[in-house]
Amino acid sequence: MATVTFDKATRIYPGGDKPAVDGLEIEVGDGEFLVLVGPSGCGKSTSLRMLAGLEDVNSGAIRIGDRDVTHLPPKDRDIAMVFQNYALYPHMTVADNMGFALKIAGVNKAEIRKRVEEAAKILDLTEYLARKPKALSGGQRQRVAMGRAIVREPQVFLMDEPLSNLDAKLRVQTRTQIASLQRRLGVTTVYVTHDQVEAMTMGDRVAVLKDGLLQQVDSPRNMYDKPANLFVAGFIGSPAMNLVEVPITDGGVKFGNSVVSVARDAVQAAADKGDRTVTVGVRPEHFDIVTGESGTLSKDAPAGLAVTVNVVEELGADGYVYGSAEVSGEHKDLVIRVGGRQIPEKGSVLHVVPKAGETHVFATSTGERLSD
Ligand SMILES: Nc1ncnc2c1ncn2[C@@H]1O[C@H](COP(=O)(O)OP(=O)(O)OP(=O)(O)O)[C@@H](O)[C@H]1O
Ligand SMILES: [Mg+2]
């Protein structure tokens, strides 16, 4: 087993004007499951391919344990990779597919047999070892691809969207299997996906990339509770966090007819930058629906922000209200989670205020998190 270090690793493709991956710095712990996530083109595969040795590193370094592997060929890195297109050899049996890399490496037959059988047992493939890939389901083929990586007993597993060929239901099952398998084997793993739900459910830690730049590396819980900037705030969580630009007033920020108190330091930090607004983030589950008149600024207007209900998504246990509100003279779409027994009518108006302590404050100008 081993740690993996990206030490300011940078990749500029020939002819490219800016790096596809720019000064990436991540330290993956021994046995850790680290997920790289971000939108298409953000540099996930490039990062993984640099670690695999399939892509040159233009500056910075990559280490596995205390070995500097920056300029080592892939075969000398002691890694095994599972790709999105895990193309099995159609004319070979499952057992031969799984053992192929070992055969090429000159491992003796008895040893190959032993390792393939062990892996098959772990992956529940024992009864399929003599079959050809075409006689397997999509999920079983995916497990054979995993088996190919496992039998090599590498120091590090690299996986690039290994579940994207599977249908939605199988993907959910398989992601649980991969995560628990990784925990059992304890092999350091770097896993790439564009799916933030996959990232949050599988990773010990999650690294979010955008435009080749690392935005945040954190546990799923911290990533959700304390996104480091507006990008992460909007990317992690489904439905996404509501982000509203609001004027700074004394003692807080104005939210419809209420003043919501937010961290004083945060507001001060924004004012110090010369910003006149901050961007407040509220997750859909962190609104209170107000019915009374308490806490209003003016006597006539009800408290909070008036939201007109456009669409309601009923999910049984709860529901999501997709509505619109006027914030600082601008039309704004909002998503609010409501209880399954309190679903409002389409066209009705809700008055909402963020729950105390559940607001996130970001600098409108730079996007950085201001609240702690
Ligand atoms: N061989 C290449 N030559 C030139 N540019 C490339 C090459 N491969 C990737 N790029 C560019 O580098 C950037 C990062 O690509 P990369 O494949 O790492 O993205 P990704 O995050 O894996 O995206 P996806 O989710 O779509 O797989 C993109 O802008 C892409 O166009
Ligand atoms: Mg990719």
Side-chain angles (χ1 to χ4, degrees), residues 44-60:
K44 304 179 295 292
S45 295
T46 304
S47 304
L48 203 67
R49 290 169 60 82
M50 283 196 287
L51 172 56
L54 299 170
E55 211 66 74
D56 284 344
V57 178
N58 298 102
S59 67

Side-chain angles (χ1 to χ4, degrees), residues 114-126:
K114 179 171 148 267
R115 288 205 213 167
V116 167
E117 277 170 7
E118 274 170 15
K121 210 154 113 197
I122 293 171
L123 293 163
D124 232 344
L125 287 171
T126 306

Side-chain angles (χ1 to χ4, degrees), residues 13-14 20 38-47 55 160-161 192 194:
Y13 284 108
S40 183
C42 71
K44 304 179 295 292
S45 295
T46 304
S47 304
E55 211 66 74
D160 194 347
E161 312 237 9
V192 163
H194 63 272

